[in-house]
Amino acid sequence: AKVQSGLVIVNTRRHARQLFELMQCNGIEGAHHLTTAMSAAHRSYVLDKIRQDLKQKQPARLVATSLIEAGVDISFQAVWRAWAGLDQIAQAAGRCNREGEFGPQGGYLTIFDPEPGEGRNPPYETRANAEVARSVCLQGKEVLSQEAIAEYFSELLWRKEDEKGFQALDCKKVGENGRWCGIMRAIEDTADNLDFPFADIAHAFRIIEDTMVPVIIPKWIHPIAGIDSNIEERITAAAFRKKSGSKSGGIGGILRDLQRFVVQVPRPVRANLLNASAAKAIAPDVFGDQFIILQSKPLYSDKTGLHMDDPTYR
C-alpha cells in the first residue's frame, strides 16, 4: 500500500488468491490477481487493465504466481518475491523498474519467507531450487552477481551427487522393480551393448510431476474468459463426423480455438468437478475426457478465476 505500483509473486495459486482476498478486505486500491486459475483470455484482459493503470499513473498492485516472470513486458516500482530459485528471482527483478523509469536508484526487490500455511510452499519440483538459492543468498553474496549465479547452479546441479558421481536430482527408478536408480546410471550400465532402455527412461522422465488437464470455460459462465456458446455443438458435430468415418472437418480448429479459454487443473480436481456435476464431458463416447466443460457459474470468479477448493460451492 506504500507504493503506487507493486507486484507480489508467490509460489502457489492458493496463496495468490489468499493474498488478493486480504488486499481486497483491507481496501487496497488497484488490487489485481493473476494466476493460471484464470484462462489465457482472462489473463490478457487483466494485464491490459494493469498496463493502462500504470500508463495513467493509477494505483496498480498485483499478486501473481510465477507466470508473470516470463514473456510479460510489465514494470512495477517494487516487487516482492517469495523464496524460489535464483533464476526465478532474477526474472522477478526484471519486472521492477524494467525501463529505468524510476531512475538509476529507483525500484527495489524484496525476497521474503511466506507465513507458514497450507498451500504456500514451493511446488515439489522447485523446492530444492528455493533451498539452494536461500543458502547462496544468506552467505552475503550480491544476489544477482555472476558469483552467486554460478554457485547456485553448481550446488543445484553438480554438488548434490552420490558416491558414483551421479546427480541426486537424477534419482528416478528406471526399469522393472526399479532396476536402476537414475536415468544416467541406466544409460551407463547398458552402454556397452547399446541396449538402452528407452521406453523405461521415457516413463521415468518428468520435468513436472503433476499432470494437469484442461477444463473449458464457456462464455455464458464468463464473457471475457469463456469461448463462444456454440462450442458444444461444434464438438458434438465433430464427434458425429468421426463416428461416420469422415476425414474432413476434424477437431484441430476446435483445439486451437479452445487454447485461450481453458484452465489447467490437477486431474483429481477435474474429477471432483465431474463428480459434483459442476462440469460435464462433451461427446464422451467419442472423445473420452478430452473435452470437459465447466457448468457451475459461481465457481468462476471475475477476479480470481476458477475456484478449485469446493466443487459444490454455490
Side-chain angles (χ1 to χ4, degrees), residues 14-36:
R14 180 187 295 189
H15 193 188
R17 196 180 82 197
Q18 290 172 346
L19 279 179
F20 175 74
E21 290 170 351
L22 281 172
M23 291 165 67
Q24 287 191 307
C25 289
N26 284 274
I28 294 180
E29 191 178 356
H32 297 279
H33 170 275
L34 202 68
T35 74
T36 53

PDB file of all heavy atoms in Angstrom, residues 14-36:
ATOM      1  N   ARG A  14      -3.122 -21.024  -4.684  1.00  0.00           N
ATOM      2  CA  ARG A  14      -3.915 -20.823  -3.468  1.00  0.00           C
ATOM      3  C   ARG A  14      -3.404 -19.631  -2.661  1.00  0.00           C
ATOM      4  O   ARG A  14      -4.192 -18.804  -2.180  1.00  0.00           O
ATOM      5  CB  ARG A  14      -3.891 -22.084  -2.594  1.00  0.00           C
ATOM      6  CG  ARG A  14      -4.711 -21.933  -1.320  1.00  0.00           C
ATOM      7  CD  ARG A  14      -4.552 -23.116  -0.394  1.00  0.00           C
ATOM      8  NE  ARG A  14      -5.083 -24.333  -0.981  1.00  0.00           N
ATOM      9  CZ  ARG A  14      -5.215 -25.483  -0.296  1.00  0.00           C
ATOM     10  NH1 ARG A  14      -4.841 -25.542   0.967  1.00  0.00           N
ATOM     11  NH2 ARG A  14      -5.697 -26.553  -0.899  1.00  0.00           N
ATOM     12  N   HIS A  15      -2.076 -19.540  -2.528  1.00  0.00           N
ATOM     13  CA  HIS A  15      -1.501 -18.428  -1.772  1.00  0.00           C
ATOM     14  C   HIS A  15      -1.808 -17.091  -2.456  1.00  0.00           C
ATOM     15  O   HIS A  15      -2.126 -16.093  -1.796  1.00  0.00           O
ATOM     16  CB  HIS A  15       0.007 -18.619  -1.639  1.00  0.00           C
ATOM     17  CG  HIS A  15       0.644 -17.714  -0.632  1.00  0.00           C
ATOM     18  ND1 HIS A  15       2.003 -17.620  -0.475  1.00  0.00           N
ATOM     19  CD2 HIS A  15       0.110 -16.838   0.259  1.00  0.00           C
ATOM     20  CE1 HIS A  15       2.279 -16.741   0.473  1.00  0.00           C
ATOM     21  NE2 HIS A  15       1.146 -16.247   0.928  1.00  0.00           N
ATOM     22  N   ALA A  16      -1.728 -17.069  -3.767  1.00  0.00           N
ATOM     23  CA  ALA A  16      -2.024 -15.823  -4.501  1.00  0.00           C
ATOM     24  C   ALA A  16      -3.452 -15.379  -4.247  1.00  0.00           C
ATOM     25  O   ALA A  16      -3.720 -14.188  -4.020  1.00  0.00           O
ATOM     26  CB  ALA A  16      -1.781 -16.037  -5.992  1.00  0.00           C
ATOM     27  N   ARG A  17      -4.385 -16.328  -4.268  1.00  0.00           N
ATOM     28  CA  ARG A  17      -5.786 -15.961  -4.045  1.00  0.00           C
ATOM     29  C   ARG A  17      -6.004 -15.457  -2.625  1.00  0.00           C
ATOM     30  O   ARG A  17      -6.731 -14.484  -2.395  1.00  0.00           O
ATOM     31  CB  ARG A  17      -6.698 -17.161  -4.318  1.00  0.00           C
ATOM     32  CG  ARG A  17      -8.159 -16.765  -4.487  1.00  0.00           C
ATOM     33  CD  ARG A  17      -9.035 -17.958  -4.766  1.00  0.00           C
ATOM     34  NE  ARG A  17      -9.377 -18.651  -3.528  1.00  0.00           N
ATOM     35  CZ  ARG A  17      -9.853 -19.881  -3.475  1.00  0.00           C
ATOM     36  NH1 ARG A  17      -9.991 -20.586  -4.579  1.00  0.00           N
ATOM     37  NH2 ARG A  17     -10.166 -20.435  -2.323  1.00  0.00           N
ATOM     38  N   GLN A  18      -5.340 -16.108  -1.640  1.00  0.00           N
ATOM     39  CA  GLN A  18      -5.471 -15.666  -0.256  1.00  0.00           C
ATOM     40  C   GLN A  18      -4.977 -14.234  -0.084  1.00  0.00           C
ATOM     41  O   GLN A  18      -5.630 -13.403   0.576  1.00  0.00           O
ATOM     42  CB  GLN A  18      -4.691 -16.606   0.664  1.00  0.00           C
ATOM     43  CG  GLN A  18      -5.299 -17.989   0.792  1.00  0.00           C
ATOM     44  CD  GLN A  18      -4.411 -18.949   1.561  1.00  0.00           C
ATOM     45  OE1 GLN A  18      -3.217 -18.675   1.783  1.00  0.00           O
ATOM     46  NE2 GLN A  18      -4.956 -20.081   1.971  1.00  0.00           N
ATOM     47  N   LEU A  19      -3.822 -13.946  -0.681  1.00  0.00           N
ATOM     48  CA  LEU A  19      -3.261 -12.591  -0.565  1.00  0.00           C
ATOM     49  C   LEU A  19      -4.165 -11.561  -1.234  1.00  0.00           C
ATOM     50  O   LEU A  19      -4.398 -10.469  -0.697  1.00  0.00           O
ATOM     51  CB  LEU A  19      -1.863 -12.544  -1.186  1.00  0.00           C
ATOM     52  CG  LEU A  19      -0.708 -13.059  -0.335  1.00  0.00           C
ATOM     53  CD1 LEU A  19       0.593 -12.966  -1.107  1.00  0.00           C
ATOM     54  CD2 LEU A  19      -0.600 -12.264   0.960  1.00  0.00           C
ATOM     55  N   PHE A  20      -4.666 -11.902  -2.413  1.00  0.00           N
ATOM     56  CA  PHE A  20      -5.543 -10.980  -3.120  1.00  0.00           C
ATOM     57  C   PHE A  20      -6.799 -10.689  -2.306  1.00  0.00           C
ATOM     58  O   PHE A  20      -7.240  -9.532  -2.215  1.00  0.00           O
ATOM     59  CB  PHE A  20      -5.916 -11.558  -4.482  1.00  0.00           C
ATOM     60  CG  PHE A  20      -6.925 -10.732  -5.237  1.00  0.00           C
ATOM     61  CD1 PHE A  20      -6.547  -9.541  -5.833  1.00  0.00           C
ATOM     62  CD2 PHE A  20      -8.245 -11.144  -5.342  1.00  0.00           C
ATOM     63  CE1 PHE A  20      -7.472  -8.767  -6.522  1.00  0.00           C
ATOM     64  CE2 PHE A  20      -9.175 -10.377  -6.025  1.00  0.00           C
ATOM     65  CZ  PHE A  20      -8.791  -9.189  -6.621  1.00  0.00           C
ATOM     66  N   GLU A  21      -7.375 -11.718  -1.708  1.00  0.00           N
ATOM     67  CA  GLU A  21      -8.570 -11.513  -0.894  1.00  0.00           C
ATOM     68  C   GLU A  21      -8.272 -10.645   0.324  1.00  0.00           C
ATOM     69  O   GLU A  21      -9.097  -9.817   0.734  1.00  0.00           O
ATOM     70  CB  GLU A  21      -9.144 -12.866  -0.478  1.00  0.00           C
ATOM     71  CG  GLU A  21      -9.769 -13.627  -1.658  1.00  0.00           C
ATOM     72  CD  GLU A  21     -10.136 -15.063  -1.332  1.00  0.00           C
ATOM     73  OE1 GLU A  21      -9.745 -15.530  -0.229  1.00  0.00           O
ATOM     74  OE2 GLU A  21     -10.791 -15.715  -2.164  1.00  0.00           O
ATOM     75  N   LEU A  22      -7.061 -10.812   0.911  1.00  0.00           N
ATOM     76  CA  LEU A  22      -6.668  -9.949   2.029  1.00  0.00           C
ATOM     77  C   LEU A  22      -6.512  -8.498   1.573  1.00  0.00           C
ATOM     78  O   LEU A  22      -6.885  -7.560   2.290  1.00  0.00           O
ATOM     79  CB  LEU A  22      -5.346 -10.447   2.627  1.00  0.00           C
ATOM     80  CG  LEU A  22      -5.428 -11.645   3.567  1.00  0.00           C
ATOM     81  CD1 LEU A  22      -4.034 -12.134   3.923  1.00  0.00           C
ATOM     82  CD2 LEU A  22      -6.202 -11.283   4.823  1.00  0.00           C
ATOM     83  N   MET A  23      -5.946  -8.301   0.370  1.00  0.00           N
ATOM     84  CA  MET A  23      -5.815  -6.947  -0.165  1.00  0.00           C
ATOM     85  C   MET A  23      -7.185  -6.300  -0.337  1.00  0.00           C
ATOM     86  O   MET A  23      -7.384  -5.122  -0.004  1.00  0.00           O
ATOM     87  CB  MET A  23      -5.072  -6.985  -1.501  1.00  0.00           C
ATOM     88  CG  MET A  23      -3.601  -7.366  -1.385  1.00  0.00           C
ATOM     89  SD  MET A  23      -2.857  -7.812  -2.978  1.00  0.00           S
ATOM     90  CE  MET A  23      -2.902  -6.237  -3.828  1.00  0.00           C
ATOM     91  N   GLN A  24      -8.142  -7.076  -0.836  1.00  0.00           N
ATOM     92  CA  GLN A  24      -9.492  -6.540  -1.010  1.00  0.00           C
ATOM     93  C   GLN A  24     -10.136  -6.209   0.337  1.00  0.00           C
ATOM     94  O   GLN A  24     -10.758  -5.159   0.488  1.00  0.00           O
ATOM     95  CB  GLN A  24     -10.351  -7.549  -1.769  1.00  0.00           C
ATOM     96  CG  GLN A  24     -10.021  -7.658  -3.254  1.00  0.00           C
ATOM     97  CD  GLN A  24     -11.054  -8.459  -4.007  1.00  0.00           C
ATOM     98  OE1 GLN A  24     -11.366  -9.590  -3.637  1.00  0.00           O
ATOM     99  NE2 GLN A  24     -11.604  -7.891  -5.062  1.00  0.00           N
ATOM    100  N   CYS A  25      -9.971  -7.120   1.303  1.00  0.00           N
ATOM    101  CA  CYS A  25     -10.561  -6.895   2.628  1.00  0.00           C
ATOM    102  C   CYS A  25      -9.986  -5.652   3.294  1.00  0.00           C
ATOM    103  O   CYS A  25     -10.677  -4.985   4.079  1.00  0.00           O
ATOM    104  CB  CYS A  25     -10.332  -8.114   3.525  1.00  0.00           C
ATOM    105  SG  CYS A  25     -11.300  -9.562   3.064  1.00  0.00           S
ATOM    106  N   ASN A  26      -8.720  -5.342   3.000  1.00  0.00           N
ATOM    107  CA  ASN A  26      -8.075  -4.179   3.608  1.00  0.00           C
ATOM    108  C   ASN A  26      -8.223  -2.921   2.764  1.00  0.00           C
ATOM    109  O   ASN A  26      -7.609  -1.900   3.054  1.00  0.00           O
ATOM    110  CB  ASN A  26      -6.598  -4.470   3.854  1.00  0.00           C
ATOM    111  CG  ASN A  26      -6.382  -5.380   5.057  1.00  0.00           C
ATOM    112  OD1 ASN A  26      -6.298  -4.920   6.189  1.00  0.00           O
ATOM    113  ND2 ASN A  26      -6.316  -6.677   4.820  1.00  0.00           N
ATOM    114  N   GLY A  27      -9.026  -2.998   1.696  1.00  0.00           N
ATOM    115  CA  GLY A  27      -9.325  -1.820   0.897  1.00  0.00           C
ATOM    116  C   GLY A  27      -8.137  -1.260   0.138  1.00  0.00           C
ATOM    117  O   GLY A  27      -8.075  -0.052  -0.114  1.00  0.00           O
ATOM    118  N   ILE A  28      -7.184  -2.115  -0.250  1.00  0.00           N
ATOM    119  CA  ILE A  28      -6.018  -1.647  -1.008  1.00  0.00           C
ATOM    120  C   ILE A  28      -6.449  -1.341  -2.437  1.00  0.00           C
ATOM    121  O   ILE A  28      -6.917  -2.226  -3.163  1.00  0.00           O
ATOM    122  CB  ILE A  28      -4.891  -2.682  -0.980  1.00  0.00           C
ATOM    123  CG1 ILE A  28      -4.372  -2.825   0.464  1.00  0.00           C
ATOM    124  CG2 ILE A  28      -3.753  -2.281  -1.908  1.00  0.00           C
ATOM    125  CD1 ILE A  28      -3.252  -3.813   0.628  1.00  0.00           C
ATOM    126  N   GLU A  29      -6.285  -0.113  -2.852  1.00  0.00           N
ATOM    127  CA  GLU A  29      -6.758   0.347  -4.152  1.00  0.00           C
ATOM    128  C   GLU A  29      -5.907  -0.237  -5.281  1.00  0.00           C
ATOM    129  O   GLU A  29      -4.706  -0.430  -5.141  1.00  0.00           O
ATOM    130  CB  GLU A  29      -6.694   1.885  -4.201  1.00  0.00           C
ATOM    131  CG  GLU A  29      -7.406   2.494  -5.387  1.00  0.00           C
ATOM    132  CD  GLU A  29      -7.361   4.012  -5.364  1.00  0.00           C
ATOM    133  OE1 GLU A  29      -6.842   4.574  -4.373  1.00  0.00           O
ATOM    134  OE2 GLU A  29      -7.844   4.632  -6.339  1.00  0.00           O
ATOM    135  N   GLY A  30      -6.545  -0.532  -6.400  1.00  0.00           N
ATOM    136  CA  GLY A  30      -5.836  -1.011  -7.573  1.00  0.00           C
ATOM    137  C   GLY A  30      -5.359  -2.442  -7.448  1.00  0.00           C
ATOM    138  O   GLY A  30      -4.362  -2.827  -8.076  1.00  0.00           O
ATOM    139  N   ALA A  31      -6.052  -3.269  -6.643  1.00  0.00           N
ATOM    140  CA  ALA A  31      -5.637  -4.656  -6.445  1.00  0.00           C
ATOM    141  C   ALA A  31      -6.000  -5.498  -7.662  1.00  0.00           C
ATOM    142  O   ALA A  31      -7.107  -5.421  -8.193  1.00  0.00           O
ATOM    143  CB  ALA A  31      -6.300  -5.226  -5.193  1.00  0.00           C
ATOM    144  N   HIS A  32      -5.052  -6.340  -8.098  1.00  0.00           N
ATOM    145  CA  HIS A  32      -5.262  -7.252  -9.223  1.00  0.00           C
ATOM    146  C   HIS A  32      -4.713  -8.629  -8.859  1.00  0.00           C
ATOM    147  O   HIS A  32      -3.847  -8.760  -7.996  1.00  0.00           O
ATOM    148  CB  HIS A  32      -4.556  -6.745 -10.484  1.00  0.00           C
ATOM    149  CG  HIS A  32      -5.072  -5.447 -10.991  1.00  0.00           C
ATOM    150  ND1 HIS A  32      -6.212  -5.330 -11.761  1.00  0.00           N
ATOM    151  CD2 HIS A  32      -4.590  -4.176 -10.836  1.00  0.00           C
ATOM    152  CE1 HIS A  32      -6.412  -4.064 -12.066  1.00  0.00           C
ATOM    153  NE2 HIS A  32      -5.450  -3.334 -11.518  1.00  0.00           N
ATOM    154  N   HIS A  33      -5.203  -9.632  -9.567  1.00  0.00           N
ATOM    155  CA  HIS A  33      -4.824 -11.023  -9.322  1.00  0.00           C
ATOM    156  C   HIS A  33      -4.539 -11.687 -10.658  1.00  0.00           C
ATOM    157  O   HIS A  33      -5.242 -11.469 -11.643  1.00  0.00           O
ATOM    158  CB  HIS A  33      -5.984 -11.727  -8.603  1.00  0.00           C
ATOM    159  CG  HIS A  33      -5.843 -13.218  -8.487  1.00  0.00           C
ATOM    160  ND1 HIS A  33      -6.229 -14.081  -9.489  1.00  0.00           N
ATOM    161  CD2 HIS A  33      -5.386 -14.004  -7.469  1.00  0.00           C
ATOM    162  CE1 HIS A  33      -6.010 -15.326  -9.101  1.00  0.00           C
ATOM    163  NE2 HIS A  33      -5.506 -15.319  -7.887  1.00  0.00           N
ATOM    164  N   LEU A  34      -3.466 -12.527 -10.690  1.00  0.00           N
ATOM    165  CA  LEU A  34      -3.096 -13.162 -11.961  1.00  0.00           C
ATOM    166  C   LEU A  34      -2.475 -14.529 -11.676  1.00  0.00           C
ATOM    167  O   LEU A  34      -1.375 -14.614 -11.133  1.00  0.00           O
ATOM    168  CB  LEU A  34      -2.097 -12.284 -12.712  1.00  0.00           C
ATOM    169  CG  LEU A  34      -1.980 -12.491 -14.223  1.00  0.00           C
ATOM    170  CD1 LEU A  34      -3.248 -12.051 -14.931  1.00  0.00           C
ATOM    171  CD2 LEU A  34      -0.785 -11.745 -14.773  1.00  0.00           C
ATOM    172  N   THR A  35      -3.193 -15.589 -12.043  1.00  0.00           N
ATOM    173  CA  THR A  35      -2.663 -16.945 -11.920  1.00  0.00           C
ATOM    174  C   THR A  35      -3.216 -17.793 -13.054  1.00  0.00           C
ATOM    175  O   THR A  35      -4.097 -17.367 -13.802  1.00  0.00           O
ATOM    176  CB  THR A  35      -3.063 -17.616 -10.577  1.00  0.00           C
ATOM    177  OG1 THR A  35      -4.444 -17.987 -10.623  1.00  0.00           O
ATOM    178  CG2 THR A  35      -2.813 -16.709  -9.392  1.00  0.00           C
ATOM    179  N   THR A  36      -2.730 -19.021 -13.147  1.00  0.00           N
ATOM    180  CA  THR A  36      -3.235 -19.932 -14.172  1.00  0.00           C
ATOM    181  C   THR A  36      -4.576 -20.544 -13.788  1.00  0.00           C
ATOM    182  O   THR A  36      -5.085 -21.402 -14.509  1.00  0.00           O
ATOM    183  CB  THR A  36      -2.225 -21.059 -14.446  1.00  0.00           C
ATOM    184  OG1 THR A  36      -1.873 -21.682 -13.204  1.00  0.00           O
ATOM    185  CG2 THR A  36      -0.981 -20.516 -15.122  1.00  0.00           C
TER     186      THR A  36
END
